[in-house]
């Protein structure tokens, strides 16, 4: 699988920094592109590597995480890698049991039901002890990338993690988790604060291990209205950016660009643009021009092709990419999908997407 060089520092020199330059708002020759869930089941080699293993056992194997992270880069000229892991490793670090049920997805054996259940959670988490396997995977992968592209680390955001911990898995309404916000606002804040503290340490640990950018996934933002988002999501999103940056400074670690991706939160784009992140990720339900108007000139935007566009014929994918690039402009922009890749997608169409971003953005930059 991946060869390991025994020294956490002394990483290979980065050869393609287009993604990092775009994230920092510097000029790029082409628009960088990567895909959420680019290490995923749509790749036959991914399915083969994963076949023998339980999902979370795979997450705990640095060697397998490294291999899965590198697979899409062997096929496509992507501009960034994202470490293979899962957002639910954080609730596991707090002492909750999560299993992957085939056909159902991640399932908590004992979700939080009553406020008293918060007492069962670890109140102080040593992230190195609980999540050190992710840090090892990052260090191993950073060496194995040999400087080809930057490596992104990530975490779920507090509200999204809280909703899973209460619902016990996926949900179309998030009614159980949202009922906590209405019935137990204080306990909700207590849980969100605990999660924010763990997420902060976890993200700082990822940078120490070699992550060159960080993405925070607020995947369930769309279940909240503007007021609840203001009360229960945004303050923690802001706090994490601030706390991560100040800890990186304290520990003399690189100040890496941070991306916030709050799915379906158009109502909060202005606030997210001022939340302390260099990049705001967008889902596919907003027009590029509209997103630019709301976020202003000081952040980079990332997104937002409808993942289902990849079911279209390749020529059509090229047209859609061209239109998207014309909408966002080629600078201060990172091309991506508006959500992750789906398992039944054709890898060749993913390749067509990546190539179209490079070709059209170069063409636009020249003319």
């Amino acid at each position: 699988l991946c060869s390991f060089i025994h020294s956490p520092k002394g990483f290979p020199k980065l050869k393609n920094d287009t993604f990092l330059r775009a994230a920092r708002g510097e000029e790029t020759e082409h628009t960088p592109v990567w895909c959420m869930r680019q290490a995923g089941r749509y790749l036959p080699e991914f399915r083969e590597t994963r076949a023998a293993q339980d999902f979370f056992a795979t997450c705990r194997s640095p060697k397998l995480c490294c291999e899965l992270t590198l697979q899409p880069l062997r096929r496509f000229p992507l501009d960034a890698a994202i470490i293979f892991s899962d957002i639910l490793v954080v609730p596991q670090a707090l002492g909750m049991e999560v299993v992957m049920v085939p056909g159902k997805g991640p399932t908590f054996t004992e979700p939080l039901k009553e406020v008293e259940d918060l007492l069962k959670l670890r109140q102080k988490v040593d992230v190195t002890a609980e999540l050190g396997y992710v840090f090892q995977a990052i260090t191993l992968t950073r060496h194995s990338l040999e400087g080809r592209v930057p490596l992104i680390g990530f975490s779920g955001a507090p509200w999204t993690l809280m909703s899973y911990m209460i619902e016990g898995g996926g949900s179309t309404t998030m009614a159980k988790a949202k009922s906590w916000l209405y019935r137990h606002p204080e306990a909700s804040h207590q849980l969100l604060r605990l999660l924010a503290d763990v997420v902060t340490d976890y993200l700082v640990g990822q940078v120490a291990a070699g992550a060159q950018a960080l993405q925070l996934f607020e995947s369930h933002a769309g279940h909240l209205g503007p007021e609840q988002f203001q009360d229960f999501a945004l303050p923690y999103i802001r706090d994490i950016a601030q706390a991560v940056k100040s800890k990186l400074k304290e520990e003399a670690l690189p100040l890496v660009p941070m991306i916030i991706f709050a799915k379906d939160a158009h109502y909060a784009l202005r606030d997210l643009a001022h939340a302390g992140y260099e990049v705001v990720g967008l889902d596919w339900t907003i027009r590029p021009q509209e997103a630019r108007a709301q976020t202003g000139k000081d952040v980079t935007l990332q997104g937002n092709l409808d993942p289902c566009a990849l079911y279209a014929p390749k020529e059509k994918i090229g047209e859609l990419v061209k239109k998207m690039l014309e909408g966002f402009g080629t600078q201060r922009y990172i091309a991506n999908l508006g959500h992750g890749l789906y398992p039944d997608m054709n890898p060749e169409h993913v390749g067509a997407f990546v190539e179209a971003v490079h070709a059209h953005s170069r063409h636009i930059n020249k003319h």
Side-chain angles (χ1 to χ4, degrees):
L1 288 162
C2 297
S3 61
F4 186 44
I5 303 151
H6 287 288
S7 87
K9 296 290 170 273
F11 288 125
K13 189 175 176 331
L14 187 57
K15 299 177 189 128
N16 171 4
D17 67 347
T18 315
F19 163 81
L20 294 178
R21 290 211 314 272
R24 292 192 295 256
E26 297 165 17
E27 207 174 312
T28 60
E29 297 73 62
H30 67 265
T31 296
V33 55
W34 67 280
C35 298
M36 289 185 271
R37 254 188 256 137
Q38 62 191 25
R41 284 175 290 172
Y42 74 101
L43 289 175
E45 58 269 39
F46 178 96
R47 295 196 297 272
E48 212 172 293
T49 307
R50 278 269 303 105
Q53 285 255 263
D54 162 72
F55 178 80
F56 286 108
T58 305
C59 290
R60 285 188 284 273
S61 160
K63 233 170 152 178
L64 288 173
C65 289
C66 173
E67 168 60 19
L68 294 169
T69 303
L70 295 183
Q71 284 176 350
L73 296 159
R74 297 190 188 120
R75 274 188 186 248
F76 315 117
L78 294 153
D79 294 288
I82 183 164
I83 195 67
F84 176 80
S85 186
D86 193 87
I87 64 171
L88 298 182
V89 299
V90 171
Q92 288 176 334
L94 288 166
M96 295 188 81
E97 191 187 3
V98 192
V99 292
M100 196 57 84
V101 177
K104 188 182 171 200
T107 307
F108 286 72
T109 50
E110 288 182 45
L112 304 173
K113 288 195 173 77
E114 305 302 330
V115 169
E116 296 75 57
D117 293 341
L118 294 182
L119 299 171
K120 296 179 192 166
L121 300 174
R122 279 192 191 103
Q123 300 306 308
K124 273 272 167 267
V125 175
D126 175 346
V127 290
T128 309
E130 301 300 328
L131 296 165
Y133 59 87
V134 179
F135 303 155
Q136 288 168 7
I138 287 172
T139 303
L140 176 56
T141 306
R142 174 87 187 265
H143 281 299
S144 303
L145 276 167
E146 296 174 335
R148 240 183 317 176
V149 293
L151 179 61
I152 305 168
F154 70 90
S155 174
W159 155 249
T160 294
L161 295 173
M162 170 182 170
S163 61
Y164 272 114
M165 290 159 76
I166 294 171
E167 294 291 340
S171 157
T172 50
T173 59
M174 296 293 155
K176 290 179 192 159
K178 285 179 72 177
S179 81
W180 272 54
L181 305 181
Y182 287 108
R183 286 165 46 227
H184 313 303
E186 275 134 44
S188 296
H189 280 298
Q190 195 188 327
L191 175 54
L192 291 162
R193 166 56 43 217
L194 173 62
L195 285 162
D197 291 345
V198 177
V199 167
T200 296
D201 289 345
Y202 180 42
L203 290 173
V204 171
Q206 291 186 49
V207 176
Q212 291 152 290
L214 297 169
Q215 177 155 313
L216 191 67
F217 284 87
E218 189 70 280
S219 312
H220 296 168
H223 290 280
L224 301 177
E227 283 178 22
Q228 284 192 316
F229 188 84
Q230 283 286 343
D231 287 349
F232 296 102
L234 188 63
Y236 300 99
I237 288 170
R238 280 196 188 117
D239 285 358
I240 287 167
Q242 212 177 343
V244 167
K245 290 186 160 131
S246 69
K247 284 196 176 191
L248 291 174
K249 273 191 191 131
E250 268 167 47
E251 296 179 28
L253 288 164
L255 279 176
V256 303
M258 294 178 72
I259 307 164
I260 175 65
F261 176 61
K263 190 172 179 298
D264 297 322
H266 333 127
Y267 55 78
L269 277 184
R270 280 174 209 279
D271 288 325
L272 290 167
H274 297 106
Y277 294 77
E278 285 69 28
V279 183
V280 175
L282 304 165
D283 61 64
W284 68 92
T285 59
I286 186 156
R287 290 192 175 87
Q289 296 84 340
E290 176 64 16
R292 278 277 182 221
Q294 289 198 40
T295 53
K297 297 203 165 37
D298 298 327
V299 294
T300 292
L301 294 179
Q302 173 178 282
N304 72 339
L305 191 73
D306 179 0
C308 292
L310 298 190
Y311 295 123
K314 290 185 199 171
E315 309 71 67
K316 178 72 175 162
I317 294 170
E319 287 165 32
L320 293 166
V321 165
K322 182 168 179 276
K323 196 174 166 206
M324 181 171 81
L325 285 161
E326 285 164 355
F328 282 110
T330 60
Q331 301 299 319
R332 260 206 181 281
Y333 174 53
I334 296 161
N336 205 316
L337 303 172
H339 199 236
L341 286 159
Y342 301 143
D344 64 349
M345 286 180 165
N346 182 341
E348 283 181 26
H349 288 223
V350 178
F353 167 63
V354 173
E355 276 152 34
V357 170
H358 286 161
H360 287 298
S361 61
R362 282 201 173 98
H363 183 79
I364 294 168
N365 285 345
K366 274 206 187 92
H367 299 86

